[in-house]
Amino acid sequence: MKIETIAQDGYERVAKCEDPESGLRAVISVHDTTLGPALGGLRMWPYASWDDAIFDVLRLSKGMTYKSAVADTGLGGGKSVIIGNPKTDKSEQLFTAMGRFVDSFNGKYITAEDVGTSVEDMIHVRKGTERVTGLPLDMGSSGDPSPWTALGTFRGMKACLEEVYGDPSFEGKMVAIQGCGHVGVYLARLLKEAGAKMILADIAPERARDLAAEVGGIVGDPATILEAECDILAPCALGAVVNDETLPNFHTKIIAGAANNILLREEHGQRLKEAGILYAPDYVINAGGIINVSIEVEGAYDEERARAKVENIYHALKRVFELSKERNLSTNEASNLVAEERLQAGRERAVEA
Ligand code: NAD
């Protein structure tokens, strides 16, 4: 196994690994460990080149630093990628080798599943390192993150309702959900209990139909769901749904969903502000999964502690909204500022110690 460190300004350590025996070609990026060990998922993707893989892992690991800082998880930001096709290139040997690569970071990086990897892959990674989370509950781990992501999104929506209507109640409010997958299903169940009305859309029509039958919602058209007349639009499928084309067509007061990278570009946050639409920054509202994992990293996993901390997303968003008003910033700019302030405070504490 050949591990080579790549110099990268603004990052603590980036390294690439080539292991001819297992076929592993991977990159780990530790962006920042000021607030704790860097935690972030392992992505497997058929990148066209090392440069593409490095570009992606740098971007994603920095995002994890900000996400964990705002969520106050006591973790830093990191990420890893394997160059390969998740449908055809997986093997036990490959993931065990990846585990050894993770282990070479001596605890500075902790991995988890992500796009293209599964719990089963993590079980193989565990053969090469102890620095892996998101294993099955019966292995003492924190299990499926989706219900936690849904709970955090639900709590974040409450903060949005309070901000816009002066009342956090869902009673009679219309929520349009794009994507009835892992998170969408759990979210819709919470919304039903809270008395919300729902429009549900999925490109797999049976998913929307089954969920609508369960929670009493209306089935929406996936081609037009972003234009639905609603109080909250909840993107829970894809990123980049706020862009130049979609922006003039929203009929919602709030955009708050679990999807990653909801804004195509940062400037689209400002455009939402100008349009009078409250945007819950994606990495703040969808942090339930990482918060749950952070409880596992602290020590013995405790579900009640996880719940309390995930529910705190409500307060994290309130803080973002306050700052956005105080400084006349878009909400995404305000959340970046909260993250940077937390990191700066962490650096000052480290200097004093
Ligand atoms: P998933 O793959 O289980 O569900 C996504 C659903 O969206 C699928 O049912 C799919 O058919 C549907 N879909 C795809 N394109 C669509 C479209 N154009 N219109 C309508 N529906 C469409 O994924 P998930 O785990 O539920 O995650 C949803 C989003 O939340 C993703 O963006 C993911 O990155 C993000 N996220 C998930 C978690 C988590 O804990 N699962 C944590 C943080 C962020």
Side-chain angles (χ1 to χ4, degrees):
M1 174 176 286
K2 188 174 142 227
I3 298 173
E4 181 193 336
T5 297
I6 306 166
Q8 190 66 47
D9 275 355
Y11 288 74
E12 283 183 24
R13 188 173 171 219
V14 182
K16 69 189 236 191
C17 171
E18 276 187 280
D19 181 43
E21 211 171 300
S22 62
L24 180 70
R25 296 193 305 148
V27 187
I28 296 177
S29 169
V30 169
H31 173 250
D32 193 295
T33 59
T34 305
L35 300 176
L39 193 144
L42 165 60
R43 187 164 286 202
M44 185 166 185
W45 195 254
Y47 295 102
S49 65
W50 279 106
D51 282 352
D52 285 4
I54 292 167
F55 178 83
D56 209 29
V57 80
L58 292 179
R59 175 182 73 87
L60 294 166
S61 60
K62 186 171 178 185
M64 289 308 296
T65 299
Y66 278 56
K67 184 171 188 161
S68 262
V70 177
D72 201 13
T73 58
L75 295 168
K79 201 90 182 180
S80 56
V81 295
I82 292 179
I83 302 175
N85 185 334
K87 292 206 176 86
T88 53
D89 297 341
K90 285 188 179 182
S91 70
E92 177 177 346
Q93 215 191 358
L94 181 91
F95 285 106
T96 306
M98 184 67 203
R100 291 204 306 276
F101 182 30
V102 170
D103 216 53
S104 74
F105 275 69
N106 297 320
K108 285 265 182 196
Y109 173 63
I110 304 168
T111 199
E113 65 189 282
D114 197 74
V115 175
T117 62
S118 65
V119 170
E120 190 165 287
D121 301 331
M122 293 307 123
I123 293 173
H124 297 321
V125 170
R126 178 69 180 75
K127 292 171 190 151
T129 185
E130 285 183 7
R131 315 292 183 183
V132 52
T133 59
L135 295 165
L137 279 172
D138 60 15
M139 290 178 76
S141 194
S142 56
D144 178 9
S146 307
W148 299 101
T149 304
L151 176 63
T153 305
F154 174 76
R155 291 284 299 169
M157 285 179 169
K158 262 184 184 285
C160 294
L161 288 173
E162 194 161 70
E163 188 68 18
V164 170
Y165 296 105
D167 177 355
S169 167
F170 283 96
E171 210 57 60
K173 293 286 186 291
M174 178 61 88
V175 183
I177 301 184
Q178 180 193 41
C180 307
H182 287 99
V183 180
V185 166
Y186 286 110
L187 178 62
R189 288 176 184 156
L190 292 170
L191 289 168
K192 180 193 179 206
E193 254 175 63
K197 297 184 285 183
M198 279 173 266
I199 310 174
L200 305 160
D202 199 296
I203 47 167
E206 70 289 354
R207 291 195 190 156
R209 244 189 350 254
D210 291 354
L211 188 58
E214 182 191 330
V215 300
I218 306 163
V219 177
D221 180 351
T224 54
I225 187 70
L226 296 176
E227 298 164 23
E229 193 82 48
C230 57
D231 299 287
I232 304 178
L233 174 64
C236 294
L238 319 157
V241 292
V242 178
N243 57 50
D244 292 346
E245 278 74 50
T246 56
L247 246 154
N249 303 318
F250 290 128
H251 294 95
T252 183
K253 298 264 190 310
I254 296 166
I255 296 185
N260 282 313
N261 306 317
I262 287 179
L263 306 177
L264 177 64
R265 292 191 300 277
E266 287 285 301
E267 77 190 47
H268 289 117
Q270 183 59 33
R271 304 259 300 278
L272 285 175
K273 182 170 184 279
E274 284 158 15
I277 298 172
L278 181 68
Y279 169 59
D282 44 17
Y283 69 79
V284 183
I285 196 167
N286 75 16
I290 184 95
I291 293 173
N292 184 46
V293 161
S294 76
I295 302 298
E296 176 186 343
V297 174
E298 276 177 10
Y301 177 64
D302 174 349
E303 188 171 324
E304 278 323 300
R305 197 169 141 61
R307 180 174 306 281
K309 216 160 170 196
V310 171
E311 293 203 340
N312 203 35
I313 285 179
Y314 169 87
H315 296 289
L317 270 179
K318 297 280 281 185
R319 167 86 187 107
V320 166
F321 297 152
E322 283 311 312
L323 198 63
S324 140
K325 283 183 288 191
E326 258 170 52
R327 310 256 182 116
N328 194 24
L329 297 170
S330 64
T331 51
N332 48 308
E333 287 168 332
S335 60
N336 289 344
L337 196 59
V338 171
E340 278 152 19
E341 283 176 358
R342 293 244 165 96
L343 287 164
Q344 189 51 35
R347 286 185 197 111
E348 284 162 15
R349 278 197 305 275
V351 169
E352 281 162 20

